[in-house]
């Protein structure tokens, strides 16, 4: 019975490996993300092996653990890998199509909201520009000309200077 768990560990690592390999090929990851994904895969494979080796023989390391896992992995890669890889690709395509459909379904109300909000937004833009121009004419221009106005006022207070 212990040998069954060891072979099952190899099979499960193969399933996870094919899933990861197919997903990586489908997403076309770069080298950094591939490296991080490899580390994640290694941790997942380690957890799978730990759990099933513990179930097989309470983590007593035996030589048949290695050979059984390699046998399970080889059987998986030889028999099931090509079918499961095609299935994973179809699954990923289905998920991508459903997400695209879902995103398109969400965009319909957003587009409707944009169409409904376009006239009030245009009126608000026009009104804000009008307020800005009025404020510019009433407040900004006098502040810019304040220095000139103060100098003219100061000149009017004192009599003109003469050389005589």
């Amino acid at each position: 019975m212990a040998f069954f768990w060891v072979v099952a560990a190899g099979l499960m690592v193969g399933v996870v490996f094919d899933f990861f390999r197919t997903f990586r090929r489908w997403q076309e990851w770069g080298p950094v993300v591939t490296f991080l994904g490899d580390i994640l895969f290694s941790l997942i494979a380690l957890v799978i092996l730990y759990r099933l080796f513990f179930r097989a023989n309470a983590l007593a390391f035996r030589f048949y653990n290695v050979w059984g896992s390699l046998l399970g992995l080889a059987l998986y890669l030889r028999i099931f890998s090509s079918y499961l890889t095609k299935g994973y690709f179809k699954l990923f395509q289905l998920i991508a199509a459903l997400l695209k459909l879902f995103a398109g379904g969400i965009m319909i109300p957003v587009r409707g909201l944009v169409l409904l909000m376009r006239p009030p937004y245009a009126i608000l833009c026009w009104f804000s520009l009008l307020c800005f121009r009025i404020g510019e004419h009433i407040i900004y221009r006098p502040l810019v000309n304040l220095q000139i106005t103060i100098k003219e006022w100061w000149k009017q207070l004192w009599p003109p200077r003469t050389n005589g």
Side-chain angles (χ1 to χ4, degrees), residues 109-126:
V110 171
R111 287 183 187 136
L113 186 63
V114 166
L115 286 175
L116 286 174
M117 292 306 294
R118 191 172 286 164
Y121 179 72
I123 292 170
L124 185 63
C125 285
W126 175 82

Coordinates of all heavy atoms in Angstrom, one line a residue, residues 109-126:
P109 N -23.2 48.4 -19.2 CA -23.8 49.4 -18.3 C -22.8 50.6 -18.2 O -23.3 51.7 -18.0 CB -24.0 48.7 -16.9 CG -23.8 47.3 -17.1 CD -23.1 47.1 -18.4
V110 N -21.5 50.4 -18.2 CA -20.6 51.5 -18.1 C -20.7 52.4 -19.3 O -20.7 53.6 -19.2 CB -19.1 51.0 -18.0 CG1 -18.1 52.1 -18.1 CG2 -19.0 50.2 -16.6
R111 N -20.8 51.8 -20.5 CA -21.0 52.6 -21.7 C -22.4 53.4 -21.7 O -22.4 54.5 -22.1 CB -21.0 51.7 -23.0 CG -19.6 51.2 -23.3 CD -19.6 50.4 -24.5 NE -18.3 49.8 -24.7 CZ -18.1 48.6 -25.1 NH1 -19.1 47.8 -25.3 NH2 -16.9 48.1 -25.2
G112 N -23.4 52.7 -21.2 CA -24.7 53.4 -21.0 C -24.6 54.6 -20.0 O -25.1 55.7 -20.3
L113 N -23.8 54.4 -18.9 CA -23.6 55.5 -18.0 C -22.8 56.6 -18.6 O -23.1 57.8 -18.3 CB -22.9 54.9 -16.7 CG -22.7 55.9 -15.6 CD1 -24.1 56.3 -15.0 CD2 -21.9 55.2 -14.5
V114 N -21.9 56.3 -19.4 CA -21.1 57.3 -20.1 C -22.0 58.1 -21.0 O -21.9 59.4 -21.1 CB -19.9 56.7 -20.9 CG1 -19.3 57.7 -21.8 CG2 -18.8 56.2 -19.9
L115 N -22.8 57.4 -21.8 CA -23.7 58.2 -22.6 C -24.7 59.0 -21.9 O -25.1 60.1 -22.3 CB -24.5 57.2 -23.5 CG -23.7 56.5 -24.6 CD1 -24.6 55.5 -25.4 CD2 -23.2 57.6 -25.6
L116 N -25.2 58.6 -20.7 CA -26.1 59.3 -19.9 C -25.4 60.5 -19.3 O -26.1 61.6 -19.1 CB -26.8 58.5 -18.8 CG -27.8 57.5 -19.3 CD1 -28.2 56.6 -18.1 CD2 -29.0 58.2 -19.9
M117 N -24.2 60.4 -18.9 CA -23.5 61.4 -18.2 C -22.8 62.5 -19.1 O -22.3 63.5 -18.6 CB -22.5 60.8 -17.2 CG -23.1 60.1 -16.1 SD -24.3 61.0 -15.1 CE -23.2 62.2 -14.4
R118 N -22.8 62.2 -20.4 CA -22.1 63.1 -21.3 C -22.7 64.5 -21.3 O -22.0 65.5 -21.2 CB -22.0 62.5 -22.7 CG -21.1 63.3 -23.6 CD -20.9 62.6 -24.9 NE -20.1 61.4 -24.7 CZ -19.9 60.4 -25.6 NH1 -20.6 60.4 -26.7 NH2 -19.1 59.4 -25.3
P119 N -24.0 64.7 -21.5 CA -24.6 66.1 -21.4 C -24.4 66.8 -20.1 O -23.9 68.0 -20.1 CB -26.1 65.9 -21.7 CG -26.1 64.5 -22.4 CD -25.0 63.7 -21.9
P120 N -24.6 66.2 -18.9 CA -24.4 67.0 -17.7 C -22.9 67.3 -17.5 O -22.5 68.4 -17.1 CB -24.8 66.0 -16.6 CG -25.7 65.1 -17.2 CD -25.3 64.9 -18.6
Y121 N -22.0 66.4 -18.0 CA -20.6 66.7 -17.9 C -20.2 67.8 -18.8 O -19.4 68.7 -18.4 CB -19.8 65.4 -18.3 CG -18.3 65.6 -18.2 CD1 -17.6 65.7 -17.0 CD2 -17.6 65.7 -19.4 CE1 -16.3 65.9 -17.0 CE2 -16.2 65.9 -19.4 CZ -15.6 66.0 -18.1 OH -14.2 66.2 -18.1
A122 N -20.8 67.9 -20.0 CA -20.5 69.0 -20.9 C -21.0 70.3 -20.3 O -20.3 71.4 -20.4 CB -21.1 68.8 -22.3
I123 N -22.2 70.3 -19.7 CA -22.7 71.5 -19.1 C -21.8 72.0 -17.9 O -21.5 73.1 -17.8 CB -24.2 71.3 -18.7 CG1 -25.1 71.2 -19.9 CG2 -24.6 72.5 -17.8 CD1 -26.5 70.7 -19.6
L124 N -21.4 71.0 -17.1 CA -20.5 71.3 -16.0 C -19.2 71.8 -16.5 O -18.7 72.8 -15.9 CB -20.3 70.0 -15.2 CG -19.5 70.2 -13.9 CD1 -20.3 71.1 -12.9 CD2 -19.3 68.8 -13.2
C125 N -18.6 71.3 -17.5 CA -17.4 71.8 -18.1 C -17.5 73.2 -18.5 O -16.7 74.1 -18.3 CB -16.9 70.9 -19.2 SG -16.1 69.4 -18.7
W126 N -18.6 73.5 -19.3 CA -18.9 74.9 -19.8 C -19.1 75.8 -18.6 O -18.5 77.0 -18.6 CB -20.1 74.8 -20.6 CG -20.5 76.2 -21.1 CD1 -20.0 76.9 -22.1 CD2 -21.5 77.0 -20.5 NE1 -20.6 78.1 -22.2 CE2 -21.6 78.2 -21.2 CE3 -22.4 76.9 -19.4 CZ2 -22.4 79.3 -20.9 CZ3 -23.2 77.9 -19.1 CH2 -23.2 79.1 -19.8

